Amino acid sequence: MNKVTIIGSINLDTNLRVERMVKPGETIHAKEHYSAAGGKGANQAVAAARSGCLTSFIGAVGNDAPGSEMLNLLKQEKIDISGITTVNNESTGQAFISVDDQGQNSITIYAGANYDVNVKDIEQKSELIASSDFVIAQFETPVDATIRGFEIAHANGVRTILNPAPAMAKIPVELLKLTDMIAPNETEAETITGVHVTDEASARQAAAKLHELGVKAVIITIGSKGAFYDFNGQSELVPAFKVKAVDTTAAGDTFIGAMASLLKPDFSNLPEAIVFANKASSLTVQRYGAQPSIPYKKEILQVQ
């Protein structure tokens, strides 16, 4: 069983189902409204836990009702929340998500307490990081805290996985030097490398540029086409499982968490882990909401 520590965000998601995305200056009616637990970090933690990982979390919530609700939900997933700080005078992070009839989403985030995660918080949980197989982070919490977390990880032989989302055009060099694997989607890969990723050939070009930045293992998810990997001289586009998508929210997060549950620290079984992650994501996109859509291991194993 892999032990994974997530450094990341925790949000309360407000979801709207719409026929199509709203245009500037336009008012439209939503078909459905509901709330769910979210945040890229929390989504990835839930995906890892449901896929069989021993999962810990480092992050922050506000001293409010949504914060208490998010903590309770993470505890229900048997995630170690001892690294989550409750911040006074700040609200828990929130995301406002519109999902159209094609299953595509548009997301606006208010960071709230997520931006209070700091280097001190990370250092106080250094033993948690040091005892992990993988440390995973995104860009919904301060980068300096992530850098410190990855420093501690590397000092203790722990592998680091960076999901560079939301996209950042210029990722700090010191963070990239500490990143063992980078896992953007096609849009994020383009923001970082300037390569418009649409297929295996363009993904290969983007991966080459990511290698030039110092990252040895690259995975680029390309929506319904699958996931491209390039590591140690081996590369391949692993096809996605063909399903009818109704909501792509948390699909990428599910991929990351599920992959980490199966991946070996030397990445030697990367293709196998990607297939497992693709299966997990194929289930997520057939359901609404972020964390409510994330499957359990027994469901993933049944996907053919």
Side-chain angles (χ1 to χ4, degrees), residues 186 196-205 222 225 228 237:
E186 70 272 38
H196 182 54
V197 177
T198 58
D199 53 17
E200 183 171 354
S202 52
R204 195 179 305 278
Q205 293 174 9
I222 318 177
K225 294 181 180 179
F228 175 84
L237 177 62

Side-chain angles (χ1 to χ4, degrees), residues 9-278:
S9 56
I10 303 170
N11 291 334
L12 172 64
D13 290 351
T14 298
N15 300 267
L16 294 174
R17 285 187 59 200
V18 296
E19 181 179 347
R20 58 175 175 78
M21 295 301 175
V22 66
K23 299 175 182 178
E26 183 184 27
T27 299
I28 63 174
H29 286 282
K31 298 192 290 185
E32 185 180 358
H33 164 272
Y34 57 94
S35 296
K40 294 194 70 63
N43 295 343
Q44 290 172 18
V46 169
R50 291 183 182 177
S51 295
C53 280
L54 189 62
T55 308
S56 302
F57 199 95
I58 301 175
V61 295
N63 187 13
D64 52 18
S68 297
E69 181 182 356
M70 297 303 102
L71 291 178
N72 286 332
L73 290 172
L74 292 173
K75 281 194 289 186
Q76 288 176 22
E77 301 290 344
K78 297 182 172 56
I79 294 170
D80 179 356
I81 63 169
S82 64
I84 300 177
T85 303
T86 299
V87 181
N88 292 318
N89 303 316
E90 184 56 272
S91 66
T92 297
Q94 296 195 44
F96 302 89
I97 304 171
S98 295
V99 180
D100 68 16
D101 283 349
Q102 282 68 52
Q104 296 300 311
N105 59 40
S106 176
I107 305 174
T108 302
I109 295 172
Y110 173 70
N114 290 313
Y115 273 9
D116 283 272
V117 178
N118 56 54
V119 170
K120 183 179 178 181
D121 294 331
I122 302 298
E123 291 177 341
Q124 287 178 341
K125 291 300 173 182
S126 58
E127 291 183 6
L128 199 64
I129 294 171
S131 64
S132 300
D133 295 300
F134 298 101
V135 172
I136 302 172
Q138 325 78 37
F139 286 151
E140 289 185 350
T141 49
V143 174
D144 58 345
T146 299
I147 291 173
R148 186 65 185 121
F150 279 20
E151 285 175 345
I152 295 169
H154 265 219
N156 290 276
V158 178
R159 291 287 191 156
T160 57
I161 300 174
L162 179 64
N163 175 218
M168 181 184 295
K170 292 186 177 181
I171 302 173
V173 174
E174 56 266 46
L175 178 59
L176 289 169
K177 288 180 178 178
L178 295 163
T179 299
D180 294 311
M181 175 186 288
I182 192 166
N185 65 19
E186 70 272 38
T187 304
E188 294 149 4
E190 181 176 0
T191 299
I192 299 166
T193 67
V195 176
H196 182 54
V197 177
T198 58
D199 53 17
E200 183 171 354
S202 52
R204 195 179 305 278
Q205 293 174 9
K209 290 185 176 293
L210 290 168
H211 287 313
E212 290 174 5
L213 294 174
V215 185
K216 293 181 179 179
V218 175
I219 296 177
I220 301 174
T221 56
I222 318 177
S224 61
K225 294 181 180 179
F228 175 84
Y229 75 89
D230 194 318
F231 171 66
N232 201 24
Q234 301 294 318
S235 61
E236 181 186 7
L237 177 62
V238 182
F241 289 78
K242 301 303 180 184
V243 297
K244 171 63 176 177
V246 299
D247 183 358
T248 57
T249 306
D253 299 329
T254 298
F255 180 94
I256 297 287
M259 178 185 66
S261 73
L262 197 66
L263 190 62
K264 294 180 180 179
D266 63 359
F267 301 158
S268 60
N269 68 334
L270 186 54
E272 179 187 355
I274 289 175
V275 170
F276 183 79
N278 279 347

